[in-house]
Amino acid sequence: MTAAGVHPRNEGAELAVDVEGYYRAYGPMVLRRCSRLLRNDQKAVDATQDVFVRLLRNERRLRSESPTSLLLKIATNVCLNVLRSERRRPEDPSDEALLEIAAADEPEPRSQARSALRRIFSREQESTRAIAVMHLVDGLTLEEVAGEVGLSVSGVRKRLRALSGRVAALEGVEP
Amino acid sequence: MTARPPVPDWWLERLAAGDLPPARAEEIRARLAAEPGGEERLAALARSNQDLLDRFPAAEAARRIRAQVDREERAERPAPRPALRWMLAAPVAAALAVALLVIRPPPSTSSIQDSPEITRAKGLTAVALRIHRQTDRGIERLTSGAGAHPRDRLQLSYASGGARHGVLLSIDGRGGVTLHLPREPGMAAALGAGEVLLPDAYELDDAPGFERFFFVYADAPFPVEKVLASARALAADPERSARAPLTLPPELSQVSVFLPKVSP
């Protein structure tokens, strides 16, 4: 099945994304996601643009992931980067959890070896901070998160436990 | 017995977009039916979709997205081998200030590697960011890819190409961000005409990996923080920080110079 707005040129070749069609189908969803995480409409608009830029530059991920799941995860990462770069005060408890996650150190190795692995495997590893948002902020169960990121439940638990500082102690991370 | 929590927005969005496997979609629909106001949440999403597309039309959004992709790809594309090189013999600032006025540089014979630096024409003059290093032999210009060392003393200059407002900053391999122009966050600096040398020299510290300098410019005033936030995000991303452009709104343009750090 071909996702809306995505047209494989030929087997094994690059994908060509109909940007306008894709935005029409999923842009509002991404805007809402960014707006919810950033709590700022203008920043959400900017972040949404970044999300689609990332999508276009990583079209190959569309082969193995559903577009909404992929876009929501990209949006999460983009927003975490925005939140990490600013130091705003939390507005409520769920916002506090989100900001803690954004500020947490990413425990995954960021090495050339990881980049090489990414090239080898079609499905990229989701960042641990994005996984933490899905579970602790969005309210997905560990099983649901595992399904969305292609890990086992124990793999998700292990990744969450590896998060540094207070985030690791938040409810739901314990084994 | 505790009530089941509301269906997460994550699933609601995926259901509304018609992007869930049938069995999963059925399960979420059943949960929504049992949730007070659940079906209204789904209907509200459809209304929100239309409202957001009215406010942010897909055609315009797509144009901006394509433009940003083009900008990023151009910024990552190796530029032609630098054709000019300056070798001056005098103290940094004073010598450069004079040199910028009177010296026409000779063709280069150096073997500086291809670089991601971009210099774009804007009107009749070119936008440029230039890095000059003081050495025992005098002053030399560093183009992208040229090695730099801890304690190198650098002087920065820019050519606005007719743009009226700008920010000059750098990021390093340790994730640090340094603002060079203006001196304090606020609004972008008003740019001068021709080649403008920043008044202060800059000494490289021992941050590993690289130093990258960015010149961000526009015709209209813009807040420095917008650029700083993007620079912080890029500097904090080790996989992109050495090569990716800053993520900026479409009205802002950028050029950059990449200097890999080498041991003395």
Side-chain angles (χ1 to χ4, degrees):
Chain A
M1 190 178 83
T2 301
V6 183
H7 312 289
R9 284 179 188 136
N10 53 61
E11 196 168 344
E14 294 179 13
L15 294 165
V17 171
D18 167 8
V19 187
E20 189 175 331
Y22 231 71
Y23 186 91
R24 189 170 288 111
Y26 307 118
M29 175 192 78
V30 175
L31 263 168
R32 281 190 295 269
R33 174 72 173 167
C34 295
S35 184
R36 178 175 179 229
L37 295 180
L38 298 175
R39 300 190 180 214
N40 179 298
D41 286 349
Q42 184 53 52
K43 287 179 183 172
V45 171
D46 294 344
T48 297
Q49 180 168 321
D50 288 345
V51 170
F52 279 91
V53 168
R54 282 202 191 186
L55 180 79
L56 285 181
R57 304 197 70 189
N58 294 277
E59 291 176 25
R60 62 187 171 77
R61 287 187 70 180
L62 285 169
R63 287 183 189 285
S64 56
E65 300 185 47
S66 79
T68 51
S69 178
L70 178 58
L71 281 163
L72 288 170
K73 286 182 284 188
I74 295 175
T76 305
N77 281 313
V78 166
C79 292
L80 282 171
N81 285 338
V82 172
L83 292 170
R84 196 174 168 86
S85 69
E86 55 186 28
R87 290 285 185 263
R88 75 169 162 83
R89 293 179 179 280
E91 295 173 16
D92 59 41
S94 75
D95 198 29
E96 185 173 6
L98 178 65
L99 296 178
E100 290 280 358
I101 294 165
D105 291 330
E106 183 71 49
E108 297 157 354
R110 291 190 173 277
S111 61
Q112 288 185 334
R114 185 181 172 210
S115 298
L117 285 173
R118 281 186 166 182
R119 286 193 291 274
I120 292 168
F121 296 107
S122 62
R123 186 163 188 160
E124 297 188 26
Q125 277 209 322
E126 210 49 62
S127 82
T128 300
R129 285 186 288 141
I131 287 173
V133 172
M134 292 163 71
H135 181 52
L136 300 172
V137 178
D138 295 317
L140 272 61
T141 65
L142 291 174
E143 290 77 10
E144 288 173 336
V145 174
E148 289 293 277
V149 301
L151 288 173
S152 65
V153 171
S154 64
V156 170
R157 277 206 187 94
K158 189 188 286 187
R159 297 276 292 276
L160 291 174
R161 277 201 301 270
L163 268 186
S164 66
R166 292 172 56 190
V167 173
L170 288 171
E171 184 184 3
V173 181
E174 303 304 324
Chain B
M1 183 177 136
T2 55
R4 195 166 190 186
V7 172
D9 287 342
W10 187 283
W11 298 123
L12 197 67
E13 293 281 10
R14 295 197 58 193
L15 177 68
D19 192 36
L20 282 177
R24 185 68 169 148
E26 195 59 37
E27 178 199 337
I28 299 298
R29 281 190 191 282
R31 284 176 61 182
L32 281 174
E35 177 186 315
E39 289 174 345
E40 170 53 25
R41 286 175 68 200
L42 200 56
L45 223 52
R47 291 194 297 274
S48 168
N49 283 346
Q50 192 53 57
D51 174 57
L52 288 171
L53 285 173
D54 290 343
R55 287 168 58 199
F56 307 103
E60 172 61 14
R63 187 191 65 73
R64 287 171 178 268
I65 291 161
R66 283 193 212 96
Q68 185 174 334
V69 170
D70 287 346
R71 271 200 309 277
E72 292 190 4
E73 290 181 347
R74 275 203 304 273
E76 291 170 6
R77 200 176 298 148
R81 185 180 297 275
L84 305 177
R85 185 182 179 195
W86 295 350
M87 291 292 289
L88 313 175
V92 184
L96 277 169
V98 175
L100 293 173
L101 291 175
V102 302
I103 293 180
R104 310 240 1 131
S108 172
T109 55
S110 67
S111 58
I112 298 170
Q113 66 188 70
D114 287 344
S115 78
E117 178 181 3
I118 46 175
T119 302
R120 274 183 283 188
K122 182 179 175 64
L124 298 176
T125 57
V127 175
L129 166 61
R130 296 191 176 119
I131 316 295
H132 315 274
R133 174 169 61 189
Q134 184 173 31
T135 72
D136 293 341
R137 302 182 307 279
I139 295 166
E140 63 185 356
R141 180 179 159 198
L142 299 179
T143 51
S144 271
H149 314 92
R151 305 189 66 78
D152 272 352
R153 195 165 174 78
L154 306 181
Q155 191 98 25
L156 315 181
S157 70
Y158 68 82
S160 70
R164 297 169 64 185
H165 303 272
V167 167
L168 214 158
L169 55 75
S170 60
I171 66 174
D172 62 38
R174 192 181 280 146
V177 177
T178 304
L179 179 64
H180 302 287
L181 180 76
R183 287 182 173 176
E184 299 292 338
M187 295 303 287
L191 299 178
E195 182 106 9
V196 177
L197 193 67
L198 298 199
D200 297 321
Y202 172 79
E203 186 173 277
L204 289 183
D205 62 14
D206 60 354
F210 65 89
E211 296 278 336
R212 281 188 81 192
F213 295 83
F214 291 89
F215 177 38
V216 178
Y217 56 95
D219 292 328
F222 60 93
V224 172
E225 184 54 37
K226 190 173 280 190
V227 184
L228 276 177
S230 176
R232 289 189 202 107
L234 182 61
D237 186 345
E239 291 184 357
R240 299 176 68 244
S241 57
R243 56 179 180 78
L246 296 172
T247 300
L248 297 170
E251 66 272 21
L252 302 185
S253 302
Q254 61 185 298
V255 293
S256 69
V257 174
F258 171 80
L259 303 180
K261 280 282 190 64
V262 294
S263 300

mmCIF file of all heavy atoms in Angstrom, chain B residues 16 20 37-38 45-46 56 80 97 110 119 162 177 183 189 196 202 204 206 225 239 243 253 257 261:
data_model
loop_
_atom_site.group_PDB
_atom_site.id
_atom_site.type_symbol
_atom_site.label_atom_id
_atom_site.label_comp_id
_atom_site.label_asym_id
_atom_site.label_seq_id
_atom_site.Cartn_x
_atom_site.Cartn_y
_atom_site.Cartn_z
ATOM 1 N N ALA B 16 -7.973 9.270 13.107
ATOM 2 C CA ALA B 16 -8.606 10.302 12.273
ATOM 3 C C ALA B 16 -7.957 10.374 10.895
ATOM 4 O O ALA B 16 -8.620 10.681 9.900
ATOM 5 C CB ALA B 16 -8.517 11.660 12.970
ATOM 6 N N LEU B 20 -4.418 3.618 10.765
ATOM 7 C CA LEU B 20 -4.257 2.517 11.718
ATOM 8 C C LEU B 20 -4.669 1.205 11.050
ATOM 9 O O LEU B 20 -5.605 1.185 10.233
ATOM 10 C CB LEU B 20 -5.132 2.742 12.955
ATOM 11 C CG LEU B 20 -4.651 3.740 13.998
ATOM 12 C CD1 LEU B 20 -5.702 3.866 15.111
ATOM 13 C CD2 LEU B 20 -3.311 3.321 14.586
ATOM 14 N N GLY B 37 -17.616 11.714 25.862
ATOM 15 C CA GLY B 37 -17.120 12.747 24.950
ATOM 16 C C GLY B 37 -16.103 12.239 23.952
ATOM 17 O O GLY B 37 -15.520 13.030 23.190
ATOM 18 N N GLY B 38 -15.889 10.947 23.916
ATOM 19 C CA GLY B 38 -14.845 10.392 23.058
ATOM 20 C C GLY B 38 -15.114 10.644 21.582
ATOM 21 O O GLY B 38 -14.210 11.055 20.842
ATOM 22 N N LEU B 45 -11.558 16.917 15.914
ATOM 23 C CA LEU B 45 -10.311 16.824 15.148
ATOM 24 C C LEU B 45 -10.559 17.149 13.678
ATOM 25 O O LEU B 45 -9.767 17.848 13.034
ATOM 26 C CB LEU B 45 -9.755 15.404 15.278
ATOM 27 C CG LEU B 45 -8.254 15.248 15.517
ATOM 28 C CD1 LEU B 45 -7.765 16.083 16.673
ATOM 29 C CD2 LEU B 45 -7.927 13.771 15.744
ATOM 30 N N ALA B 46 -11.655 16.640 13.142
ATOM 31 C CA ALA B 46 -11.979 16.909 11.734
ATOM 32 C C ALA B 46 -12.207 18.405 11.518
ATOM 33 O O ALA B 46 -11.753 18.984 10.527
ATOM 34 C CB ALA B 46 -13.216 16.109 11.323
ATOM 35 N N PHE B 56 -3.411 27.873 7.403
ATOM 36 C CA PHE B 56 -2.078 27.588 6.859
ATOM 37 C C PHE B 56 -2.242 26.738 5.608
ATOM 38 O O PHE B 56 -2.116 25.507 5.664
ATOM 39 C CB PHE B 56 -1.210 26.852 7.898
ATOM 40 C CG PHE B 56 -1.137 27.549 9.220
ATOM 41 C CD1 PHE B 56 -1.881 27.100 10.312
ATOM 42 C CD2 PHE B 56 -0.333 28.673 9.385
ATOM 43 C CE1 PHE B 56 -1.813 27.740 11.535
ATOM 44 C CE2 PHE B 56 -0.268 29.322 10.610
ATOM 45 C CZ PHE B 56 -1.012 28.868 11.684
ATOM 46 N N PRO B 80 32.635 25.525 -4.912
ATOM 47 C CA PRO B 80 33.837 25.467 -5.733
ATOM 48 C C PRO B 80 35.065 25.784 -4.903
ATOM 49 O O PRO B 80 34.984 26.487 -3.897
ATOM 50 C CB PRO B 80 33.586 26.551 -6.785
ATOM 51 C CG PRO B 80 32.127 26.792 -6.764
ATOM 52 C CD PRO B 80 31.659 26.500 -5.381
ATOM 53 N N ALA B 97 41.856 46.128 8.261
ATOM 54 C CA ALA B 97 41.006 47.273 7.953
ATOM 55 C C ALA B 97 41.519 47.993 6.717
ATOM 56 O O ALA B 97 40.749 48.414 5.860
ATOM 57 C CB ALA B 97 40.969 48.222 9.138
ATOM 58 N N SER B 110 46.701 27.495 -3.017
ATOM 59 C CA SER B 110 46.671 26.612 -1.856
ATOM 60 C C SER B 110 45.817 25.396 -2.145
ATOM 61 O O SER B 110 45.065 25.350 -3.106
ATOM 62 C CB SER B 110 46.106 27.358 -0.645
ATOM 63 O OG SER B 110 44.764 27.646 -0.883
ATOM 64 N N THR B 119 28.448 31.404 -0.708
ATOM 65 C CA THR B 119 28.444 32.851 -0.871
ATOM 66 C C THR B 119 27.441 33.151 -1.955
ATOM 67 O O THR B 119 27.629 32.769 -3.100
ATOM 68 C CB THR B 119 29.831 33.357 -1.278
ATOM 69 O OG1 THR B 119 30.757 32.956 -0.272
ATOM 70 C CG2 THR B 119 29.834 34.857 -1.408
ATOM 71 N N GLY B 162 24.083 43.730 0.568
ATOM 72 C CA GLY B 162 22.868 44.535 0.490
ATOM 73 C C GLY B 162 21.842 44.194 1.563
ATOM 74 O O GLY B 162 20.875 44.934 1.751
ATOM 75 N N VAL B 177 27.938 27.690 22.046
ATOM 76 C CA VAL B 177 27.487 28.690 21.073
ATOM 77 C C VAL B 177 28.031 30.049 21.520
ATOM 78 O O VAL B 177 27.912 30.409 22.693
ATOM 79 C CB VAL B 177 25.948 28.748 21.014
ATOM 80 C CG1 VAL B 177 25.491 29.844 20.066
ATOM 81 C CG2 VAL B 177 25.369 27.407 20.595
ATOM 82 N N ARG B 183 26.818 42.186 20.001
ATOM 83 C CA ARG B 183 27.510 41.700 21.198
ATOM 84 C C ARG B 183 26.550 41.107 22.214
ATOM 85 O O ARG B 183 26.912 40.249 23.005
ATOM 86 C CB ARG B 183 28.291 42.843 21.845
ATOM 87 C CG ARG B 183 29.521 43.221 21.035
ATOM 88 C CD ARG B 183 30.294 44.302 21.707
ATOM 89 N NE ARG B 183 31.565 44.546 21.025
ATOM 90 C CZ ARG B 183 32.404 45.493 21.360
ATOM 91 N NH1 ARG B 183 32.127 46.282 22.358
ATOM 92 N NH2 ARG B 183 33.521 45.651 20.699
ATOM 93 N N ALA B 189 21.973 42.909 14.345
ATOM 94 C CA ALA B 189 22.724 44.149 14.135
ATOM 95 C C ALA B 189 22.381 44.754 12.779
ATOM 96 O O ALA B 189 22.105 44.041 11.813
ATOM 97 C CB ALA B 189 24.221 43.843 14.198
ATOM 98 N N VAL B 196 33.018 44.410 6.171
ATOM 99 C CA VAL B 196 33.044 44.990 7.518
ATOM 100 C C VAL B 196 33.773 44.042 8.462
ATOM 101 O O VAL B 196 33.420 42.863 8.575
ATOM 102 C CB VAL B 196 31.617 45.234 8.051
ATOM 103 C CG1 VAL B 196 31.660 45.773 9.478
ATOM 104 C CG2 VAL B 196 30.880 46.203 7.141
ATOM 105 N N TYR B 202 39.161 37.023 18.257
ATOM 106 C CA TYR B 202 38.535 35.894 18.933
ATOM 107 C C TYR B 202 39.577 34.797 19.047
ATOM 108 O O TYR B 202 40.184 34.399 18.049
ATOM 109 C CB TYR B 202 37.350 35.456 18.078
ATOM 110 C CG TYR B 202 36.648 34.183 18.463
ATOM 111 C CD1 TYR B 202 35.739 34.142 19.513
ATOM 112 C CD2 TYR B 202 36.850 33.018 17.739
ATOM 113 C CE1 TYR B 202 35.079 32.973 19.837
ATOM 114 C CE2 TYR B 202 36.186 31.848 18.055
ATOM 115 C CZ TYR B 202 35.309 31.830 19.103
ATOM 116 O OH TYR B 202 34.654 30.674 19.418
ATOM 117 N N LEU B 204 40.530 30.941 19.784
ATOM 118 C CA LEU B 204 39.882 29.631 19.874
ATOM 119 C C LEU B 204 40.274 28.942 21.171
ATOM 120 O O LEU B 204 41.437 28.980 21.570
ATOM 121 C CB LEU B 204 40.305 28.750 18.697
ATOM 122 C CG LEU B 204 39.767 29.118 17.322
ATOM 123 C CD1 LEU B 204 40.226 28.102 16.286
ATOM 124 C CD2 LEU B 204 38.252 29.183 17.348
ATOM 125 N N ASP B 206 39.920 25.167 23.554
ATOM 126 C CA ASP B 206 40.318 23.787 23.257
ATOM 127 C C ASP B 206 39.133 22.878 22.978
ATOM 128 O O ASP B 206 39.237 21.658 23.098
ATOM 129 C CB ASP B 206 41.152 23.216 24.410
ATOM 130 C CG ASP B 206 40.363 23.204 25.718
ATOM 131 O OD1 ASP B 206 39.232 23.744 25.735
ATOM 132 O OD2 ASP B 206 40.861 22.673 26.719
ATOM 133 N N GLU B 225 17.571 35.968 19.260
ATOM 134 C CA GLU B 225 17.250 34.725 19.960
ATOM 135 C C GLU B 225 16.765 33.639 19.003
ATOM 136 O O GLU B 225 17.005 32.450 19.211
ATOM 137 C CB GLU B 225 16.188 35.000 21.040
ATOM 138 C CG GLU B 225 15.847 33.793 21.904
ATOM 139 C CD GLU B 225 17.072 33.151 22.563
ATOM 140 O OE1 GLU B 225 18.001 33.891 22.980
ATOM 141 O OE2 GLU B 225 17.109 31.911 22.636
ATOM 142 N N GLU B 239 25.315 14.678 15.627
ATOM 143 C CA GLU B 239 25.273 14.054 14.304
ATOM 144 C C GLU B 239 25.100 15.091 13.195
ATOM 145 O O GLU B 239 25.368 14.809 12.042
ATOM 146 C CB GLU B 239 24.142 13.032 14.249
ATOM 147 C CG GLU B 239 24.440 11.831 15.120
ATOM 148 C CD GLU B 239 23.388 10.757 15.003
ATOM 149 O OE1 GLU B 239 22.391 10.961 14.290
ATOM 150 O OE2 GLU B 239 23.562 9.711 15.644
ATOM 151 N N ARG B 243 27.819 19.745 10.007
ATOM 152 C CA ARG B 243 27.550 19.879 8.576
ATOM 153 C C ARG B 243 26.199 20.505 8.242
ATOM 154 O O ARG B 243 26.052 21.129 7.193
ATOM 155 C CB ARG B 243 27.627 18.508 7.893
ATOM 156 C CG ARG B 243 26.699 17.494 8.519
ATOM 157 C CD ARG B 243 26.747 16.139 7.844
ATOM 158 N NE ARG B 243 25.835 15.212 8.509
ATOM 159 C CZ ARG B 243 24.536 15.203 8.340
ATOM 160 N NH1 ARG B 243 23.998 16.049 7.502
ATOM 161 N NH2 ARG B 243 23.767 14.362 9.007
ATOM 162 N N SER B 253 18.435 34.144 5.721
ATOM 163 C CA SER B 253 19.397 33.389 4.921
ATOM 164 C C SER B 253 20.678 33.218 5.721
ATOM 165 O O SER B 253 20.904 33.929 6.704
ATOM 166 C CB SER B 253 19.684 34.115 3.613
ATOM 167 O OG SER B 253 18.492 34.301 2.884
ATOM 168 N N VAL B 257 31.027 28.902 7.653
ATOM 169 C CA VAL B 257 32.406 28.469 7.429
ATOM 170 C C VAL B 257 32.727 27.412 8.479
ATOM 171 O O VAL B 257 32.487 27.626 9.667
ATOM 172 C CB VAL B 257 33.399 29.647 7.540
ATOM 173 C CG1 VAL B 257 34.841 29.140 7.454
ATOM 174 C CG2 VAL B 257 33.138 30.674 6.453
ATOM 175 N N LYS B 261 39.114 21.253 13.846
ATOM 176 C CA LYS B 261 40.198 21.483 14.805
ATOM 177 C C LYS B 261 41.296 20.445 14.586
ATOM 178 O O LYS B 261 41.009 19.252 14.477
ATOM 179 C CB LYS B 261 39.656 21.334 16.233
ATOM 180 C CG LYS B 261 38.906 22.545 16.746
ATOM 181 C CD LYS B 261 39.877 23.639 17.173
ATOM 182 C CE LYS B 261 39.180 24.762 17.921
ATOM 183 N NZ LYS B 261 38.591 24.348 19.174
#
